[in-house]
Coordinates of all heavy atoms in Angstrom, one line a residue:
M457 N 18.9 47.5 46.3 CA 18.4 46.1 46.5 C 18.4 45.5 45.1 O 18.0 46.1 44.1 CB 17.0 46.0 47.1 CG 16.6 44.6 47.4 SD 15.0 44.5 48.1 CE 15.1 45.4 49.5
F458 N 18.9 44.3 45.0 CA 19.1 43.6 43.7 C 18.3 42.2 43.8 O 18.2 41.6 44.8 CB 20.5 43.3 43.4 CG 21.3 44.5 43.1 CD1 22.2 45.0 44.1 CD2 21.2 45.2 41.9 CE1 22.9 46.2 43.9 CE2 22.0 46.3 41.7 CZ 22.8 46.8 42.6
A459 N 17.9 41.8 42.6 CA 17.3 40.5 42.4 C 18.2 39.7 41.4 O 18.5 40.3 40.4 CB 15.9 40.5 42.0
L460 N 18.6 38.5 41.7 CA 19.3 37.7 40.7 C 18.4 36.7 40.0 O 17.7 36.0 40.7 CB 20.4 36.9 41.5 CG 21.4 37.8 42.2 CD1 22.4 36.9 43.0 CD2 22.2 38.7 41.2
I461 N 18.4 36.7 38.7 CA 17.4 35.9 37.9 C 18.3 34.9 37.1 O 19.2 35.3 36.4 CB 16.6 36.8 37.0 CG1 15.8 37.9 37.8 CG2 15.6 36.0 36.2 CD1 15.2 39.0 37.0
S462 N 17.9 33.7 37.2 CA 18.6 32.6 36.5 C 17.6 31.8 35.7 O 16.6 31.3 36.3 CB 19.4 31.8 37.4 OG 20.1 30.7 36.7
T463 N 17.7 31.7 34.4 CA 16.9 30.9 33.6 C 17.7 29.8 33.0 O 19.0 29.8 33.1 CB 16.2 31.7 32.5 OG1 17.2 32.2 31.6 CG2 15.4 32.8 33.1
E464 N 17.1 28.8 32.4 CA 17.8 27.7 31.7 C 18.7 28.2 30.6 O 19.8 27.8 30.4 CB 16.8 26.7 31.2 CG 16.2 25.9 32.3 CD 15.2 24.8 31.8 OE1 15.2 24.6 30.5 OE2 14.5 24.2 32.6
E465 N 18.2 29.2 29.9 CA 18.9 29.8 28.7 C 20.2 30.5 29.2 O 21.3 30.3 28.7 CB 18.0 30.8 28.0 CG 18.7 31.4 26.8 CD 17.8 32.4 26.1 OE1 16.6 32.4 26.3 OE2 18.4 33.2 25.3
L466 N 20.0 31.3 30.3 CA 21.1 32.1 30.9 C 22.1 31.1 31.5 O 23.3 31.3 31.5 CB 20.7 33.1 31.9 CG 20.0 34.3 31.3 CD1 19.4 35.2 32.4 CD2 20.9 35.2 30.5
E467 N 21.6 30.1 32.1 CA 22.5 29.1 32.8 C 23.3 28.4 31.8 O 24.5 28.1 32.0 CB 21.6 28.1 33.6 CG 22.4 27.3 34.6 CD 21.5 26.5 35.5 OE1 20.6 27.1 36.0 OE2 21.8 25.3 35.7
G468 N 22.8 28.1 30.6 CA 23.5 27.4 29.6 C 24.6 28.3 29.0 O 25.7 27.8 28.6
L469 N 24.4 29.6 29.0 CA 25.4 30.6 28.6 C 26.4 30.9 29.7 O 27.4 31.7 29.4 CB 24.8 31.9 28.1 CG 23.9 31.7 26.9 CD1 23.1 33.0 26.6 CD2 24.7 31.4 25.7
G470 N 26.2 30.5 30.9 CA 27.1 30.9 32.0 C 26.9 32.3 32.5 O 27.8 33.0 32.8
Q471 N 25.6 32.7 32.4 CA 25.3 34.1 32.8 C 24.2 34.1 33.8 O 23.5 33.2 34.0 CB 24.9 34.9 31.6 CG 25.9 35.0 30.5 CD 25.4 35.7 29.3 OE1 24.2 35.9 29.1 NE2 26.3 36.0 28.4
I472 N 24.0 35.3 34.4 CA 22.9 35.5 35.4 C 22.5 37.0 35.2 O 23.3 37.9 34.9 CB 23.4 35.3 36.8 CG1 22.2 35.2 37.7 CG2 24.4 36.3 37.3 CD1 22.5 34.6 39.1
M473 N 21.1 37.2 35.3 CA 20.6 38.5 35.1 C 20.4 39.2 36.5 O 20.0 38.5 37.4 CB 19.2 38.5 34.4 CG 18.7 39.9 34.1 SD 17.1 39.8 33.3 CE 17.6 39.3 31.7
V474 N 20.8 40.4 36.5 CA 20.6 41.2 37.8 C 19.6 42.3 37.5 O 19.7 43.0 36.5 CB 22.0 41.8 38.2 CG1 21.8 42.6 39.5 CG2 23.1 40.8 38.3
K475 N 18.6 42.4 38.4 CA 17.6 43.4 38.3 C 17.7 44.3 39.5 O 17.7 43.8 40.6 CB 16.2 42.8 38.2 CG 15.1 43.8 38.0 CD 13.7 43.1 37.9 CE 12.6 44.1 37.7 NZ 11.3 43.6 37.6
Q476 N 17.7 45.6 39.2 CA 17.8 46.6 40.3 C 16.4 46.9 40.8 O 15.6 47.4 40.0 CB 18.5 47.8 39.8 CG 18.6 48.9 40.8 CD 19.3 50.1 40.2 OE1 20.1 50.1 39.3 NE2 19.0 51.3 40.7
L477 N 16.1 46.6 42.0 CA 14.8 46.9 42.6 C 14.7 48.3 43.3 O 13.7 49.0 43.1 CB 14.5 45.8 43.6 CG 14.5 44.4 43.1 CD1 14.3 43.4 44.2 CD2 13.5 44.2 42.0
K478 N 15.7 48.6 44.0 CA 15.8 49.9 44.7 C 17.1 50.5 44.6 O 18.1 49.8 44.5 CB 15.5 49.7 46.2 CG 14.0 49.4 46.5 CD 13.9 49.3 48.1 CE 12.4 49.0 48.4 NZ 12.3 49.0 49.9
N479 N 17.2 51.8 44.7 CA 18.4 52.5 44.6 C 18.3 53.8 45.4 O 17.4 54.7 45.1 CB 18.8 52.9 43.2 CG 20.2 53.4 43.1 OD1 20.8 53.9 44.0 ND2 20.8 53.3 41.9
R480 N 19.1 54.0 46.4 CA 19.0 55.2 47.3 C 19.6 56.4 46.6 O 19.2 57.5 46.9 CB 19.7 54.9 48.6 CG 19.7 56.0 49.6 CD 20.4 55.7 50.8 NE 19.6 54.7 51.6 CZ 19.9 54.3 52.8 NH1 21.0 54.7 53.3 NH2 19.2 53.4 53.4
Y481 N 20.6 56.2 45.8 CA 21.4 57.4 45.3 C 21.1 57.9 43.9 O 21.3 59.0 43.7 CB 22.9 57.0 45.4 CG 23.3 56.6 46.8 CD1 23.5 55.3 47.1 CD2 23.3 57.5 47.9 CE1 23.8 54.9 48.4 CE2 23.6 57.2 49.1 CZ 23.9 55.8 49.4 OH 24.2 55.4 50.7
N482 N 20.7 57.0 43.0 CA 20.5 57.4 41.6 C 19.1 57.0 41.2 O 18.3 56.4 41.9 CB 21.5 56.8 40.7 CG 22.9 57.4 41.0 OD1 23.0 58.6 41.3 ND2 23.9 56.6 40.8
D483 N 18.8 57.3 39.9 CA 17.6 56.9 39.3 C 17.5 55.4 39.2 O 18.3 54.8 38.5 CB 17.5 57.6 37.9 CG 16.2 57.4 37.2 OD1 15.2 57.0 37.9 OD2 16.1 57.6 36.0
P484 N 16.4 54.8 39.7 CA 16.3 53.3 39.6 C 16.0 52.8 38.2 O 16.2 51.6 38.0 CB 15.2 53.0 40.6 CG 14.4 54.2 40.8 CD 15.4 55.4 40.5
T485 N 15.6 53.6 37.3 CA 15.4 53.2 35.9 C 16.6 53.1 35.1 O 16.6 52.5 34.0 CB 14.3 54.1 35.2 OG1 14.8 55.4 35.2 CG2 13.0 54.0 35.9
M486 N 17.7 53.7 35.6 CA 19.0 53.6 34.9 C 19.6 52.3 35.2 O 19.8 51.9 36.4 CB 19.9 54.8 35.3 CG 21.2 54.8 34.7 SD 21.2 56.1 33.6 CE 22.9 56.0 33.1
N487 N 20.0 51.5 34.2 CA 20.6 50.2 34.4 C 19.7 49.3 35.2 O 20.1 48.7 36.2 CB 22.0 50.3 35.0 CG 23.0 51.1 34.2 OD1 22.9 51.0 33.0 ND2 23.8 51.8 34.8
K488 N 18.4 49.3 34.8 CA 17.4 48.5 35.6 C 17.7 47.0 35.5 O 17.6 46.3 36.5 CB 16.1 48.8 35.0 CG 14.9 48.2 35.9 CD 13.6 48.6 35.4 CE 12.5 48.1 36.3 NZ 11.2 48.6 35.8
R489 N 18.1 46.5 34.4 CA 18.5 45.1 34.2 C 19.8 45.0 33.5 O 20.0 45.7 32.5 CB 17.4 44.3 33.4 CG 16.2 44.1 34.2 CD 15.3 43.3 33.4 NE 14.0 43.2 34.0 CZ 13.0 42.5 33.6 NH1 13.1 41.7 32.5 NH2 11.8 42.5 34.2
F490 N 20.7 44.1 33.9 CA 21.9 43.8 33.2 C 22.3 42.4 33.4 O 21.8 41.7 34.3 CB 23.0 44.8 33.5 CG 23.3 44.9 35.0 CD1 24.3 44.1 35.6 CD2 22.6 45.7 35.8 CE1 24.5 44.2 36.9 CE2 22.8 45.8 37.2 CZ 23.8 45.1 37.7
V491 N 23.2 41.9 32.6 CA 23.7 40.5 32.6 C 25.2 40.5 33.0 O 25.9 41.3 32.5 CB 23.5 39.8 31.3 CG1 24.0 38.4 31.3 CG2 22.0 39.8 30.9
V492 N 25.5 39.6 33.9 CA 26.9 39.4 34.3 C 27.2 37.9 34.1 O 26.3 37.0 34.2 CB 27.2 39.8 35.7 CG1 27.1 41.3 35.9 CG2 26.4 39.1 36.7
G493 N 28.4 37.6 33.8 CA 28.8 36.2 33.7 C 29.1 35.6 35.1 O 29.4 36.3 36.0
I494 N 28.9 34.3 35.2 CA 29.1 33.6 36.4 C 29.8 32.3 36.2 O 29.5 31.6 35.3 CB 27.7 33.4 37.2 CG1 27.9 32.8 38.5 CG2 26.8 32.5 36.3 CD1 26.7 32.8 39.4
D495 N 30.8 32.1 37.1 CA 31.6 30.9 37.1 C 31.2 30.2 38.4 O 31.7 30.5 39.4 CB 33.1 31.1 37.0 CG 33.9 29.9 37.0 OD1 33.3 28.8 36.9 OD2 35.1 30.0 37.0
R496 N 30.2 29.3 38.3 CA 29.7 28.6 39.5 C 30.7 27.8 40.2 O 30.6 27.6 41.4 CB 28.4 27.8 39.1 CG 27.3 28.7 38.6 CD 26.0 28.0 38.4 NE 25.0 28.8 37.8 CZ 24.1 29.5 38.4 NH1 24.1 29.5 39.7 NH2 23.2 30.2 37.8
A497 N 31.6 27.2 39.5 CA 32.6 26.3 40.2 C 33.5 27.1 41.1 O 33.8 26.7 42.2 CB 33.4 25.6 39.1
K498 N 33.9 28.3 40.7 CA 34.7 29.2 41.5 C 34.0 30.3 42.2 O 34.6 31.1 43.0 CB 35.8 29.8 40.6 CG 36.8 28.8 40.0 CD 37.8 29.5 39.3 CE 38.8 28.5 38.7 NZ 39.9 29.2 38.0
M499 N 32.6 30.3 42.0 CA 31.8 31.3 42.7 C 32.3 32.7 42.4 O 32.4 33.6 43.2 CB 31.7 31.1 44.2 CG 31.2 29.7 44.6 SD 29.5 29.5 44.1 CE 28.7 30.1 45.5
R500 N 32.5 33.0 41.1 CA 33.0 34.3 40.6 C 32.0 34.9 39.6 O 31.4 34.3 38.8 CB 34.3 34.2 40.0 CG 35.4 33.9 40.9 CD 36.7 33.9 40.2 NE 37.8 33.6 41.1 CZ 39.0 33.4 40.8 NH1 39.4 33.6 39.5 NH2 39.9 33.1 41.7
L501 N 31.9 36.3 39.7 CA 31.1 37.0 38.7 C 32.1 37.8 37.9 O 33.2 38.2 38.3 CB 30.2 38.0 39.4 CG 29.1 37.4 40.3 CD1 28.3 38.5 41.0 CD2 28.2 36.5 39.5
Y502 N 31.8 37.9 36.6 CA 32.7 38.7 35.7 C 31.8 39.4 34.6 O 30.7 39.1 34.4 CB 33.7 37.8 35.0 CG 33.1 36.6 34.2 CD1 32.7 36.7 32.9 CD2 32.9 35.4 34.9 CE1 32.2 35.7 32.2 CE2 32.3 34.3 34.2 CZ 32.0 34.5 32.8 OH 31.4 33.5 32.1
D503 N 32.4 40.4 34.0 CA 31.8 41.2 32.9 C 31.6 40.3 31.7 O 32.5 39.5 31.4 CB 32.6 42.4 32.6 CG 32.6 43.5 33.7 OD1 31.7 43.5 34.5 OD2 33.5 44.3 33.7
V504 N 30.5 40.5 31.0 CA 30.3 39.9 29.7 C 30.4 40.9 28.6 O 30.5 42.1 28.8 CB 28.9 39.2 29.7 CG1 28.9 38.0 30.6 CG2 27.8 40.1 29.9
E505 N 30.4 40.4 27.4 CA 30.5 41.3 26.2 C 29.2 42.2 26.1 O 28.2 41.8 26.6 CB 30.6 40.5 24.9 CG 31.8 39.6 24.8 CD 33.0 40.5 24.6 OE1 33.0 41.5 24.0 OE2 34.1 40.1 25.2
Q506 N 29.4 43.3 25.5 CA 28.3 44.3 25.4 C 27.1 43.7 24.5 O 26.0 44.0 24.7 CB 28.7 45.6 24.7 CG 27.7 46.6 24.6 CD 27.2 47.1 25.9 OE1 27.9 47.1 26.9 NE2 26.0 47.6 25.9
S507 N 27.4 42.7 23.6 CA 26.4 42.1 22.8 C 25.4 41.3 23.6 O 24.3 41.1 23.2 CB 27.1 41.2 21.8 OG 27.8 40.2 22.4
A508 N 25.8 40.9 24.8 CA 24.9 40.1 25.7 C 23.8 41.0 26.3 O 22.8 40.5 26.7 CB 25.7 39.4 26.8
Q509 N 24.1 42.3 26.3 CA 23.1 43.3 26.9 C 22.1 43.7 25.9 O 21.1 44.3 26.3 CB 23.9 44.5 27.5 CG 25.0 44.2 28.3 CD 24.7 43.6 29.7 OE1 23.6 43.8 30.2 NE2 25.6 43.0 30.3
K510 N 22.2 43.4 24.7 CA 21.3 44.0 23.6 C 19.9 43.4 23.7 O 19.0 44.1 23.3 CB 21.9 43.7 22.3 CG 23.1 44.6 22.0 CD 23.6 44.3 20.6 CE 24.8 45.2 20.3 NZ 25.4 44.9 19.0
D511 N 19.7 42.2 24.1 CA 18.4 41.6 24.1 C 17.5 42.0 25.3 O 16.4 41.6 25.4 CB 18.5 40.1 24.1 CG 19.2 39.6 22.8 OD1 19.0 40.3 21.8 OD2 19.8 38.5 22.8
I512 N 18.1 42.7 26.2 CA 17.3 43.1 27.4 C 16.4 44.3 27.1 O 16.9 45.3 26.6 CB 18.3 43.5 28.6 CG1 19.1 42.3 28.9 CG2 17.5 43.9 29.8 CD1 20.2 42.6 29.9
L513 N 15.1 44.2 27.3 CA 14.2 45.2 26.8 C 14.3 46.5 27.7 O 14.4 47.6 27.1 CB 12.8 44.7 26.8 CG 12.5 43.6 25.9 CD1 11.1 43.1 26.0 CD2 12.7 44.0 24.5
D514 N 14.3 46.4 29.0 CA 14.2 47.6 29.8 C 15.5 47.8 30.6 O 15.5 48.0 31.8 CB 13.0 47.6 30.8 CG 13.1 46.3 31.7 OD1 13.8 45.4 31.4 OD2 12.3 46.3 32.6
S515 N 16.6 47.8 29.9 CA 17.9 47.9 30.5 C 18.2 49.3 31.0 O 18.9 49.6 32.0 CB 19.1 47.5 29.6 OG 19.1 48.4 28.5
G516 N 17.5 50.3 30.4 CA 17.7 51.7 30.8 C 18.9 52.4 30.2 O 19.2 53.5 30.6
Q517 N 19.6 51.8 29.3 CA 20.8 52.3 28.7 C 20.5 53.0 27.4 O 20.0 52.3 26.5 CB 21.9 51.3 28.6 CG 22.4 50.8 29.9 CD 23.5 49.8 29.7 OE1 23.8 49.3 28.6 NE2 24.2 49.4 30.8
E518 N 20.7 54.2 27.2 CA 20.4 54.9 26.0 C 21.6 54.8 25.0 O 21.4 54.6 23.8 CB 20.2 56.4 26.3 CG 19.1 56.6 27.4 CD 17.7 56.1 27.0 OE1 17.4 56.1 25.8 OE2 17.0 55.7 27.8
E519 N 22.8 55.0 25.5 CA 24.0 55.0 24.6 C 24.7 53.7 24.8 O 24.7 53.1 25.9 CB 24.8 56.2 24.8 CG 25.3 56.3 26.3 CD 26.0 57.6 26.5 OE1 25.4 58.7 26.2 OE2 27.1 57.6 27.0
E520 N 25.5 53.3 23.8 CA 26.2 52.1 23.9 C 27.5 52.3 24.6 O 28.2 53.3 24.4 CB 26.5 51.5 22.5 CG 27.1 50.2 22.5 CD 27.1 49.5 21.2 OE1 26.1 49.8 20.4 OE2 28.0 48.8 20.9
Y521 N 27.9 51.4 25.5 CA 29.1 51.5 26.2 C 30.2 50.8 25.5 O 30.1 49.7 25.0 CB 28.9 50.8 27.6 CG 30.2 50.6 28.4 CD1 30.7 51.7 29.1 CD2 30.9 49.4 28.4 CE1 31.9 51.5 29.8 CE2 32.0 49.2 29.1 CZ 32.5 50.3 29.8 OH 33.7 50.2 30.5
T522 N 31.3 51.4 25.3 CA 32.5 50.8 24.7 C 33.7 51.0 25.6 O 33.9 52.0 26.2 CB 32.8 51.5 23.3 OG1 33.0 52.9 23.6 CG2 31.7 51.3 22.3
Y523 N 34.3 49.9 25.8 CA 35.4 49.8 26.7 C 36.7 50.3 26.0 O 37.1 49.6 25.1 CB 35.6 48.5 27.3 CG 36.9 48.4 28.2 CD1 36.8 48.9 29.5 CD2 38.0 47.8 27.8 CE1 37.9 48.8 30.3 CE2 39.1 47.7 28.6 CZ 39.1 48.2 29.8 OH 40.2 48.2 30.6
E524 N 37.2 51.4 26.3 CA 38.4 51.9 25.7 C 39.3 52.4 26.8 O 38.9 53.0 27.7 CB 38.1 53.0 24.7 CG 37.3 52.6 23.5 CD 37.1 53.8 22.6 OE1 37.6 54.9 22.8 OE2 36.3 53.6 21.6
E525 N 40.6 52.1 26.6 CA 41.6 52.5 27.6 C 41.8 54.0 27.4 O 42.2 54.5 26.3 CB 42.9 51.8 27.4 CG 43.9 52.0 28.5 CD 43.6 51.4 29.8 OE1 42.9 50.3 29.8 OE2 43.9 51.9 30.8
K526 N 41.4 54.8 28.4 CA 41.5 56.3 28.2 C 43.0 56.7 28.5 O 43.6 56.1 29.4 CB 40.6 57.0 29.1 CG 39.1 56.8 28.8 CD 38.2 57.6 29.6 CE 36.8 57.3 29.1 NZ 35.8 58.2 29.9
K527 N 43.5 57.6 27.8 CA 44.8 58.1 28.0 C 44.9 58.9 29.3 O 44.0 59.7 29.5 CB 45.2 59.0 26.8 CG 45.3 58.2 25.5 CD 45.8 59.1 24.4 CE 45.8 58.4 23.1 NZ 46.1 59.3 22.0
K528 N 45.9 58.6 30.0 CA 46.1 59.4 31.2 C 46.7 60.7 30.8 O 47.7 60.8 30.2 CB 47.0 58.6 32.2 CG 46.4 57.4 32.7 CD 47.3 56.7 33.7 CE 46.6 55.4 34.2 NZ 47.5 54.7 35.2
T529 N 46.1 61.8 31.3 CA 46.6 63.1 31.0 C 47.4 63.6 32.2 O 47.1 63.3 33.4 CB 45.5 64.1 30.7 OG1 44.6 64.1 31.7 CG2 44.8 63.6 29.4
D530 N 48.4 64.4 32.0 CA 49.2 65.0 33.0 C 48.5 66.3 33.5 O 48.9 67.4 33.0 CB 50.6 65.2 32.6 CG 51.5 65.4 33.7 OD1 51.1 65.2 34.9 OD2 52.7 65.7 33.5
K531 N 47.5 66.2 34.3 CA 46.7 67.4 34.7 C 47.5 68.3 35.6 O 47.2 69.5 35.6 CB 45.5 66.9 35.5 CG 44.5 66.1 34.7 CD 43.3 65.7 35.6 CE 42.4 64.9 34.7 NZ 41.3 64.4 35.5
F532 N 48.5 67.8 36.3 CA 49.2 68.6 37.3 C 50.6 69.0 36.8 O 51.4 69.4 37.6 CB 49.3 67.9 38.6 CG 47.9 67.5 39.2 CD1 47.5 66.2 39.2 CD2 47.1 68.5 39.7 CE1 46.2 65.9 39.7 CE2 45.8 68.2 40.1 CZ 45.4 66.9 40.1
S533 N 50.8 69.0 35.5 CA 52.1 69.3 35.0 C 52.4 70.8 35.1 O 53.6 71.2 35.2 CB 52.3 68.8 33.6 OG 51.4 69.6 32.7
G534 N 51.4 71.6 35.1 CA 51.6 73.1 35.2 C 51.8 73.6 36.6 O 52.2 74.7 36.8
L535 N 51.7 72.7 37.6 CA 51.9 73.2 39.0 C 53.3 73.2 39.4 O 54.1 72.4 39.0 CB 51.2 72.2 40.0 CG 49.6 72.2 39.9 CD1 49.1 71.1 40.9 CD2 49.1 73.5 40.2
K536 N 53.7 74.3 40.1 CA 55.1 74.4 40.5 C 55.1 74.5 42.0 O 54.3 75.2 42.6 CB 55.7 75.7 39.9 CG 55.8 75.6 38.4 CD 56.4 76.8 37.8 CE 56.4 76.7 36.3 NZ 57.0 77.9 35.6
F537 N 56.1 73.9 42.6 CA 56.2 73.9 44.0 C 57.3 74.8 44.5 O 58.3 74.9 43.9 CB 56.5 72.5 44.5 CG 55.3 71.5 44.3 CD1 55.3 70.7 43.2 CD2 54.2 71.6 45.1 CE1 54.3 69.8 43.0 CE2 53.2 70.7 44.9 CZ 53.2 69.8 43.8

């Protein structure tokens, strides 16, 4: 279950805060709060930069996330048919 929080400051930045209230599958304290961008004209949500997440006090993230394109490895190259 999620709660969407919108303040004047976040609205000015084109963002919305998402707070996780319940989680059936994982620890609810992990990623408790996070920010996503919102385009209200097109009704779309999008990812924001990692720097937007730094000001959140109880986000639940211990390590910093960096988006890097991981190299695809050929895991099945050794298989012979």
Side-chain angles (χ1 to χ4, degrees):
M457 184 181 303
F458 294 102
L460 301 176
I461 302 167
S462 179
T463 62
E464 290 180 9
E465 180 183 344
L466 288 172
E467 195 169 315
L469 295 171
Q471 298 174 350
I472 193 165
M473 182 179 291
V474 180
K475 182 177 180 182
Q476 179 181 332
L477 302 175
K478 289 184 178 182
N479 188 341
R480 178 180 289 186
Y481 303 106
N482 291 326
D483 185 16
T485 59
M486 179 109 177
N487 299 324
K488 189 173 184 178
R489 290 186 187 184
F490 54 93
V491 177
V492 294
I494 183 168
D495 183 4
R496 293 186 188 271
K498 294 184 179 181
M499 302 296 272
R500 289 187 181 173
L501 299 175
Y502 56 89
D503 291 336
V504 294
E505 297 290 327
Q506 183 64 27
S507 61
Q509 309 291 339
K510 289 183 181 178
D511 295 333
I512 302 172
L513 295 177
D514 58 347
S515 64
Q517 295 181 349
E518 306 298 329
E519 58 189 51
E520 186 168 327
Y521 171 78
T522 55
Y523 176 76
E524 294 179 6
E525 189 71 32
K526 294 186 179 182
K527 296 179 183 178
K528 294 183 179 179
T529 58
D530 196 8
K531 295 179 182 179
F532 301 107
S533 63
L535 294 178
K536 296 182 181 181
F537 295 99

